[in-house]
Amino acid sequence: MERIVWLLAGFVAATVLIALIGLVAVRSTARGFAKRTDGLKQLLIASQSQANDAAPVLPDIVRSYAVKAGGREGASTVFHARHRATLQTAKGARPIDIEADQWTGILVPGIVWTARGRMSGLPVSVFDAFVEGHGELSARVLGAFQVAGGSGADYDKGELMRYLSELPVYPDAILNLRGVDWRQIDDATVSVTARSATGEATVRFYFDPSGDIVRMEADDRPMETRGTTVHIPWHGVYSRYAQFGRHRIPSYGEVGWVLPDGLFVYWRGEVISYDPGGGEP
């Protein structure tokens, strides 16, 4: 009997030790995740001093939009905004409620987005970034276990497209951004192209009769599915223009993939705060 007691005591002690080691490992990995996001924010801020190209040449319709939206030349180099949104990871999946912070470069293409939510009752943390020409995405449960993400050429292109799609919300970036090429396609459509470290990315914007941007399209944003990456059409809409200080910007947006069986809207979100002086994380 005493032998059984000692064996049980040893088993319990070993189990507790393993659990403690696992907890330490999880916390250490979570701290590494937070350190990575903080590092990306600092790199984003530093990258804005690298704007050496000439000021952009803008089609009149684009400049008029930016000025009407409150944009200024010589504005702060990094803006901070907060979002509230729902994210659907797959068709038929239950949407996840998230809140997010976003830091956006105004002189050089760059973005760092961090989000928090719960999936199956567990806390989920995500960062989405395009900094110094490279894209990166990481989604983690408990801040430690990565369930999605990566880096490389497809992420460079995808995250740069993500940045470009945000330009209607950042009219100061439209007026100040270096290294981009604007082209007017017709009276109500323009395209904007920028380069990552590994290639170009282009999105198109569509204007309504009043001069507001109401829609975005891209032909070939990379999407990861079943372990492979495919380049498919990407679509977004902008609405609920609202005043945030001197800025009049779209406060609501939806984004989706144009799949063979139709549009899959995976993101619905709103801007809940907007700080032109929010460059410091």
Side-chain angles (χ1 to χ4, degrees):
M1 186 66 177
E2 290 181 358
R3 178 177 174 79
I4 294 175
V5 171
W6 278 106
L7 288 173
L8 286 174
F11 175 76
V12 170
T15 302
V16 171
L17 179 60
I18 291 170
L20 288 173
I21 292 172
L23 180 60
V24 170
V26 167
R27 287 182 174 177
S28 176
T29 305
R31 283 195 297 269
F33 180 82
K35 185 176 180 180
R36 177 59 179 157
T37 58
D38 288 342
L40 286 168
K41 293 173 200 173
Q42 296 295 344
L43 286 174
L44 171 65
I45 293 169
S47 72
Q48 300 306 299
S49 65
Q50 300 169 12
N52 298 318
D53 296 334
V57 177
L58 300 175
D60 289 343
I61 191 173
V62 175
R63 180 172 292 279
S64 294
Y65 170 85
V67 172
K68 182 175 75 168
R72 292 178 182 171
E73 296 183 9
S76 300
T77 58
V78 176
F79 279 32
H80 173 239
R82 286 195 170 94
H83 303 150
R84 184 183 297 120
T86 59
L87 175 66
Q88 192 170 3
T89 56
K91 274 192 171 183
R94 183 176 180 178
I96 302 168
D97 293 326
I98 61 173
E99 291 194 358
D101 289 87
Q102 178 171 307
W103 290 265
T104 303
I106 301 301
L107 296 179
V108 176
I111 189 171
V112 176
W113 180 84
T114 63
R116 306 154 299 281
R118 300 188 76 84
M119 185 168 61
S120 301
L122 296 173
V124 176
S125 302
V126 184
F127 76 73
D128 205 6
F130 181 80
V131 178
E132 295 186 329
H134 292 285
E136 186 176 352
L137 168 67
S138 181
R140 294 176 182 257
V141 175
L142 298 173
F145 305 105
Q146 182 160 304
V147 294
S151 59
D154 284 327
Y155 286 91
D156 295 347
K157 182 172 185 174
E159 299 308 322
L160 178 53
M161 282 184 171
R162 158 78 191 273
Y163 172 83
L164 294 175
S165 76
E166 300 268 357
L167 288 177
V169 185
Y170 297 94
D172 297 81
I174 293 175
L175 295 175
N176 292 280
L177 192 63
R178 269 52 175 174
V180 294
D181 178 31
W182 291 89
R183 184 170 68 89
Q184 185 152 355
I185 298 171
D186 58 36
D187 289 345
T189 313
V190 301
S191 68
V192 59
T193 300
R195 287 195 60 84
S196 72
T198 53
E200 290 187 344
T202 299
V203 302
R204 294 184 299 278
F205 295 120
Y206 298 82
F207 294 75
D208 70 7
S210 72
D212 286 340
I213 297 175
V214 293
R215 184 160 55 94
M216 173 277 300
E217 291 180 355
D219 295 328
D220 56 352
R221 189 177 183 195
M223 181 184 78
E224 191 171 331
T225 176
R226 297 178 181 178
T228 62
T229 300
V230 294
H231 292 206
I232 65 172
W234 190 52
H235 176 277
V237 295
Y238 312 91
S239 63
R240 302 180 193 172
Y241 275 75
Q243 204 74 33
F244 292 85
R246 66 177 165 89
H247 295 93
R248 177 187 173 274
I249 58 172
S251 66
Y252 179 82
E254 298 183 358
V255 181
W257 302 105
V258 183
L259 303 176
D261 58 349
L263 177 64
F264 165 47
V265 177
Y266 63 87
W267 163 269
R268 294 174 171 87
E270 61 178 331
V271 178
I272 58 176
S273 74
Y274 188 80
D275 181 8
E280 292 299 328

